[in-house]
Amino acid sequence: MQLPPLLQQYAFKYSGKLLTYHELKISRRILDYLLQHQYLTITPGITEKLLFTTCNRCMNRQSHLFGKIPSKKNFIIYCKNCIQMGRVSTNEPLYKWSGPSVTNDQIKNPLHWKGELTSLQQKASESITNTIKLNNQVVIYAVCGAGKTEMLYQGIAEAISHGKRVCLATPRADVVKELAPRFRRDFPLLQIAALYGGTQDQDHNAHLVLATTHQLLRYQQSFDVMIVDEVDAFPFHRDKTLPKAVNRAVKTKHARIYLTATPRLDMKVKIALKKLPVVSIPMRYHGYPLPEPIFQSVFQLEKKLTANKLPEKFKQWIRDRHQLQRRYLIFVPTIQLAENLSKLLKGMPHVHAASPDRDYFIERFRGNRIRALITTTILERGVTFPSIDVAVLQADHHVFDEAALIQIAGRAGRSADDPHGNVSFFYEQKTEAMVGALSYTENKNKEAKVWLE
Ligand SMILES: [Zn+2]
């Protein structure tokens, strides 16, 4: 059925989503019209059944994450868990498009990228394309720097040429911001929406949606292809609502692609039991091995740092970087240590999740305007600086689990012009995570060597 133009517009804006009244951006009068004619239907924002209160947007069921506002009759209950996306309450429902569905036009040959894939990338690319054709699922288990984005291109092109709608979800807004211009350049004919907290973009049934995982909470039965980047990363890994959001955002028939360099145990088990097909990419796109971490043991490291003394080995590592004219990142476990270290190193810039000038310093580092940067785990993954060395101070701290250390080591040696970076772990007591990160690197390098031969 052909809708009148205005209704057609609403269909494009609303279909496949669960939105608050505020997000519909229409008057009450139009809302009433759309409800009366069943173009929109109401889903309660919060349901209270037996002992459980459930938020129908973020699927939160934890009682301490609900708030109460006194009202004339009783109380209004609202969800605190997803409040940053606008309030959902017993008084504020969600709206869903139930009019005629919309379809995207099929765009033939949407991919304008002229680059070439390595044979390993090609293997992953074929598997992704087949998975999309057959509405299956696959895990792409690829080391940091394997060139994941390019592996996705052919599959995305295949989906788009059949009028399918694709979502690439990633835990970090930085990654959405980094990917959006690349996709716009390489798929110039597509409508692409880049969604993260504070974004200006809107999704009017775009062909391709690049979104942080939290943005998926606004979707229902929307995507034919769901690509989940860094599936092992926080917050996807710890926040149980986000996997549910992924499940709700996809259509009944869909393809799902998981990307990870460091799968968690539950995924490894599924892979081992052959419940999840996997393609393993042990080598970087430039064909050089992953830099192996160098263990630098320091006697009484914590005591020294508490007394604001820098260990000699660490000072030597920094002097060497300057002598070799290398750029470097220093990872530290806490904001406190980031600040202290910055003072001890004559005001070397530092960044952490809450630092106001975080973007400024990251951009300056990226643009080669500063040689070194102290950081907490915020720069652990997703970001690419071409030619750097990496130190982890207190690598034995509990915030550095195996996946974190592998990802941090994965920041070094990313460029084909300079594929060898120095990765040094400074520690007092060797941890399982450190040993695990080293053996991961050794194993991947062995696998890659076998592939090359
Ligand atoms: Zn909620």
Side-chain angles (χ1 to χ4, degrees), residues 298-307 394 397 428:
V298 178
F299 181 62
Q300 293 187 327
L301 174 61
E302 187 161 8
K303 206 172 164 189
K304 286 185 175 123
L305 291 172
T306 315
Q394 283 198 307
H397 193 282
E428 191 171 327

Coordinates of all heavy atoms in Angstrom, one line a residue, residues 298-307 394 397 428:
V298 N 60.0 -5.2 38.6 CA 60.6 -4.1 39.5 C 60.3 -4.5 40.9 O 59.2 -4.7 41.3 CB 59.9 -2.8 39.1 CG1 60.4 -1.7 40.0 CG2 60.1 -2.4 37.7
F299 N 61.4 -4.5 41.7 CA 61.3 -4.8 43.1 C 60.5 -3.7 43.8 O 60.9 -2.5 43.6 CB 62.7 -5.0 43.7 CG 62.7 -5.3 45.2 CD1 62.1 -6.5 45.6 CD2 63.3 -4.5 46.1 CE1 62.1 -6.8 47.0 CE2 63.4 -4.8 47.4 CZ 62.7 -6.0 47.9
Q300 N 59.5 -4.0 44.6 CA 58.8 -3.0 45.4 C 58.2 -1.9 44.6 O 58.3 -0.7 44.9 CB 59.6 -2.5 46.5 CG 59.9 -3.6 47.6 CD 60.6 -3.0 48.8 OE1 61.4 -2.1 48.7 NE2 60.3 -3.6 50.0
L301 N 57.6 -2.2 43.4 CA 57.1 -1.2 42.5 C 56.1 -0.3 43.2 O 56.1 0.9 43.1 CB 56.5 -1.9 41.3 CG 55.9 -1.0 40.2 CD1 56.8 0.1 39.7 CD2 55.3 -1.8 39.1
E302 N 55.1 -1.0 43.8 CA 54.0 -0.2 44.4 C 54.5 0.8 45.5 O 54.1 1.9 45.5 CB 52.9 -1.2 45.0 CG 51.7 -0.4 45.4 CD 50.5 -1.3 45.6 OE1 50.6 -2.5 45.5 OE2 49.4 -0.7 45.8
K303 N 55.4 0.3 46.3 CA 56.0 1.1 47.4 C 56.7 2.3 46.8 O 56.5 3.4 47.3 CB 57.0 0.2 48.2 CG 57.1 0.7 49.6 CD 58.0 -0.3 50.3 CE 58.5 0.3 51.6 NZ 59.5 -0.6 52.3
K304 N 57.4 2.1 45.7 CA 58.2 3.2 45.1 C 57.2 4.2 44.5 O 57.4 5.4 44.7 CB 59.0 2.6 43.9 CG 60.3 1.9 44.5 CD 61.2 1.5 43.3 CE 62.4 0.9 43.9 NZ 62.7 -0.5 43.4
L305 N 56.1 3.7 43.9 CA 55.2 4.7 43.2 C 54.4 5.4 44.3 O 54.2 6.6 44.1 CB 54.2 3.9 42.3 CG 54.8 3.3 41.1 CD1 53.8 2.4 40.3 CD2 55.3 4.4 40.1
T306 N 54.1 4.8 45.4 CA 53.4 5.5 46.5 C 54.3 6.6 47.1 O 53.8 7.6 47.5 CB 53.0 4.5 47.6 OG1 52.5 3.3 47.0 CG2 52.0 5.0 48.6
A307 N 55.6 6.3 47.1 CA 56.6 7.3 47.6 C 57.0 8.3 46.5 O 57.9 9.0 46.7 CB 57.8 6.6 48.2
Q394 N 52.6 -1.0 36.4 CA 51.8 -1.9 37.2 C 50.9 -2.8 36.4 O 49.7 -2.9 36.6 CB 50.9 -1.0 38.2 CG 51.7 -0.5 39.4 CD 50.8 0.0 40.5 OE1 49.9 0.7 40.3 NE2 51.1 -0.6 41.7
H397 N 48.4 -5.0 38.1 CA 47.2 -4.5 38.8 C 45.9 -5.3 38.2 O 45.9 -5.6 37.1 CB 47.0 -3.0 38.5 CG 46.0 -2.3 39.3 ND1 44.7 -2.4 39.1 CD2 46.2 -1.5 40.4 CE1 44.0 -1.7 40.0 NE2 44.9 -1.2 40.8
E428 N 55.5 -6.0 39.6 CA 56.2 -6.5 40.8 C 56.0 -8.0 41.0 O 56.9 -8.8 41.2 CB 55.5 -5.8 42.0 CG 56.3 -6.0 43.3 CD 55.7 -5.0 44.4 OE1 55.3 -3.9 44.1 OE2 55.7 -5.4 45.6

